[in-house]
């Protein structure tokens, strides 16, 4: 039976996180802070749990082991691994400056795939900004010297942000989410991160957090990014929905939609869909089940599930491969 599945997310309490995911997005936990909520996760470091229906209580990974990869769709099952990892991230403080490797390097060195990702800015405090690549083309030697001198941010491209901005982070792009920003991140299913600068912070053990400078230098792009920090296109194809195509690449396609009353959508055979509600409240009605989705909820819709209706008012990210 193909039915819509509400997911319970694994939560991460990294030192730079805040409490907005608990206070505003309904994440129930004894953790003091929630830096990341892994909304769609089928990774050794975190696994989504299905909350409803026949497979309630099973992880997404266990569900796939039972039913097979057809529920990922013809495009989804072409990947040798579960293709997506989707997160909500609350940066109360600055994240470290970091970079992710591409597929070839990551598979050779880390034993997993690389990490290209996209950020949708769900909310940002006035004056918030982030780091996105370099101000201009620089040499490897210059980067090494700035890392040694603890002045790396001086040569990085700082960008002011507001709700609705979109950042596509190609593997190899140096980056850091700034304090006061809450994002939805759609990415390859990888958790490989190389940290190169961390503001002199210490971890929970009281020791400086590990840096990965040599590996980072191996993989980073050394020029200013050229992608625009806005949606790829505005969409006016669904009655009852205002939409934007946020990003499209070989690894994922992501949309942002604002639901005004009700809308008819469909999950076809090519890919599963993941819905992440970033504001408001909506009901999802399908032939094999109904879900109530609130701000901070996510759902997995198997490929081939067919038509469904969303009713309510709110905003959500729709992701597929």
């Amino acid at each position: 039976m193909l039915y819509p599945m509400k997911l319970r997310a694994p939560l991460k309490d990294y030192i730079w996180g805040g409490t907005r995911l608990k206070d505003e997005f309904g994440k129930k936990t004894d953790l003091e802070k929630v830096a990341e909520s892994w909304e769609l996760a089928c990774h050794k470091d975190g696994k989504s749990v299905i909350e409803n229906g026949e497979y309630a209580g099973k992880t997404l990974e266990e569900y796939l082991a039972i039913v097979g990869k057809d529920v990922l769709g013809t495009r989804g099952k072409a990947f040798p691994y579960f293709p997506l990892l989707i997160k909500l991230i609350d940066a109360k403080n600055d994240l470290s400056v970091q970079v992710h490797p591409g597929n070839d390097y990551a598979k050779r060195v880390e034993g997993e795939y690389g990490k290209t990702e996209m950020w949708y800015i769900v909310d940002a405090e006035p004056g918030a900004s982030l780091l996105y690549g370099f101000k201009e083309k620089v040499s490897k030697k210059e980067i090494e010297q700035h890392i040694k001198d603890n002045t790396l941010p001086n040569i990085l491209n700082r960008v002011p942000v507001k709700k609705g901005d979109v950042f596509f982070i190609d593997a190899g792009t140096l980056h850091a989410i700034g304090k006061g920003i809450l994002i939805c991140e759609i990415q390859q299913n990888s958790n490989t991160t190389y940290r190169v600068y961390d503001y002199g912070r210490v971890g929970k053990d009281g020791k400086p957090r590990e840096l990965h400078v040599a590996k980072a230098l191996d993989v980073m792009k050394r020029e200013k990014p050229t992608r625009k920090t806005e949606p790829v296109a505005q969409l006016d194809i669904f009655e009852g929905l205002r939409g934007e195509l946020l990003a499209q690449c070989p690894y994922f396609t992501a949309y942002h939609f604002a639901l005004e009353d009700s809308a008819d959508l469909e999950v076809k055979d090519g890919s599963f869909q993941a819905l992440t509600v970033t504001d408001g409240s909506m009901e999802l009605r399908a032939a094999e089940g109904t879900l109530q989705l609130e701000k901070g909820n996510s759902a997995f819709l198997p490929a081939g599930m067919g038509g469904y209706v969303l009713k309510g008012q709110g905003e959500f990210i729709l992701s597929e491969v």
Side-chain angles (χ1 to χ4, degrees), residues 24-146:
E24 301 173 32
F25 287 77
K27 303 303 177 183
K28 294 178 172 57
T29 176
D30 292 331
L31 296 175
E32 181 180 345
K33 60 180 68 174
V34 178
E36 296 184 354
S37 174
W38 289 21
E39 296 296 304
L40 179 75
C42 195
H43 190 277
K44 62 181 176 61
D45 295 332
K47 305 177 194 298
S48 298
V49 176
I50 298 165
E51 292 196 319
N52 64 300
E54 180 181 355
Y55 298 99
K58 295 191 179 300
T59 66
L60 193 55
E61 182 178 71
E62 291 169 336
Y63 163 70
L64 292 171
I66 295 168
V67 303
K69 294 181 68 174
D70 284 349
V71 295
L72 300 181
T74 53
R75 295 192 300 277
K77 68 183 183 180
F79 287 83
Y81 59 101
F82 188 82
L84 292 186
L85 177 56
I86 298 175
K87 304 175 182 177
L88 291 172
I89 300 177
D90 173 22
K92 181 176 176 61
N93 294 295
D94 294 325
L95 273 69
S96 62
V97 180
Q98 56 191 240
V99 67
H100 309 298
N103 287 336
D104 291 344
Y105 188 95
K107 284 190 288 184
R108 176 168 53 85
V109 176
E110 306 295 345
E112 71 170 0
Y113 281 78
K115 185 175 174 183
T116 285
E117 62 192 22
M118 184 221 77
W119 300 338
Y120 174 78
I121 308 298
V122 176
D123 195 21
E125 294 178 0
S129 64
L130 55 78
L131 297 174
Y132 184 44
F134 291 92
K135 291 179 181 178
E136 56 189 19
K137 190 170 184 178
V138 290
S139 69
K140 184 175 180 180
K141 186 176 180 179
E142 287 177 282
I143 298 169
E144 288 178 308
Q145 189 62 49
H146 278 283

Side-chain angles (χ1 to χ4, degrees), residues 125 156 188 259 288:
E125 294 178 0
L156 298 181
Q188 285 181 270
L259 178 66
E288 299 293 347

Side-chain angles (χ1 to χ4, degrees), residues 5-21:
M5 300 174 184
K6 194 172 183 178
L7 302 176
R8 182 169 73 252
L11 307 176
K12 308 292 183 179
D13 63 343
Y14 305 136
I15 61 172
W16 43 262
T19 62
R20 293 188 66 183
L21 294 177

Side-chain angles (χ1 to χ4, degrees), residues 252-265:
F252 53 79
T253 299
Y255 306 87
H256 169 260
F257 288 112
L259 178 66
E260 298 168 338
D261 182 19
S262 66
D264 295 305
L265 294 167

